[in-house]
Amino acid sequence: LLEEVPADRETIAAAAERAGWPVPRALCAIALARPVDPGAVARRIGPDVLPGAALGDPCLLVPDPDGPGRAERLEAALAGRPSAVGPSVEPARALGSLRPARRLLALTEPPEAGQQPPRVDDHLADLALDAAREPLAALAARRLAALDGRTEASRARLEETLLAWLELQGSAPAVAARLHVHPQTVRYRLARLRDALGDALDDPEARFELLLALRAEALRPPA
């Protein structure tokens, strides 16, 4: 199911019959982080869940992920565990579910106790930004060049403020609430940003490019 070259349905059906595994109409892949016993996690979800390893790390293949009671068992087995849930696909496309799940797991912070794992279907924009990392880095270098002379800490504060301002459509009080700072602090930072970036903050295309670049930067794992 997880071979680089997808097997045809007949090959999958024959292998499944030998293994005594009913071929589902759909399945999803779950990327797990080491150290973990994928077999133990699989048993908590159901007897038809396939544990294994692919793309260098452990994983699960979960048949009928939207079936009765399956979501509850997934939540119980994965809560607080570093993992990511891929999209539902036909069995022959299982690797197409695991690849984005593996990438999403690499992009997300370790979960807190009881926290549910991220789902690829809820993070498609983040994955799209990650896939375009190189051109977006070039875009950020061009659009944010005016901040190059700042200290690392100062630049980080300005970029964080600009991203929140762009996402919250220019509301200084909303930005202050998100960043847990005083609204006057936000207005001060925005004034510095306007001095540095000028008319770009009033240009729809430039603001869109800034938002893309900053969102991509925010996804970058800590050094």
Side-chain angles (χ1 to χ4, degrees), residues 171-221:
S171 170
V175 172
R178 174 183 288 189
L179 302 183
H180 306 291
V181 298
H182 194 279
Q184 190 58 34
T185 300
V186 173
R187 295 187 182 96
Y188 170 73
R189 292 179 186 175
L190 288 173
R192 295 177 68 188
L193 284 163
R194 190 166 290 280
D195 288 341
L197 301 176
D199 294 340
L201 297 187
D202 299 316
D203 182 285
E205 182 175 351
R207 296 202 313 190
F208 175 68
E209 290 183 352
L210 284 166
L211 178 59
L212 285 178
L214 291 167
R215 282 288 301 272
E217 286 289 305
L219 286 173
R220 181 179 297 175

Side-chain angles (χ1 to χ4, degrees), residues 77-133:
L78 300 176
R81 184 183 300 279
S83 56
V85 181
S88 181
V89 297
E90 62 179 274
R93 297 186 58 243
L95 196 59
S97 179
L98 181 59
R99 285 190 189 280
R102 182 66 66 204
R103 188 59 203 149
L104 180 58
L105 178 57
L107 291 175
T108 52
E109 297 289 334
E112 298 178 0
Q115 184 178 356
Q116 291 302 311
R119 292 178 173 270
V120 166
D121 286 342
D122 298 329
H123 292 270
L124 294 175
D126 289 339
L127 289 167
L129 290 172
D130 179 65
R133 186 177 296 276

Side-chain angles (χ1 to χ4, degrees), residues 5-29:
V5 179
D8 57 47
R9 293 182 179 180
E10 291 75 16
T11 301
I12 292 173
E17 184 176 3
R18 291 193 299 273
W21 184 70
V23 179
R25 293 188 356 185
L27 58 76
C28 76

Side-chain angles (χ1 to χ4, degrees), residues 55-94:
L55 304 181
D57 283 297
C59 64
L60 306 174
L61 294 181
V62 181
D64 300 317
D66 300 318
R70 187 71 93 184
E72 291 78 6
R73 290 194 292 274
L74 279 171
E75 289 178 0
L78 300 176
R81 184 183 300 279
S83 56
V85 181
S88 181
V89 297
E90 62 179 274
R93 297 186 58 243

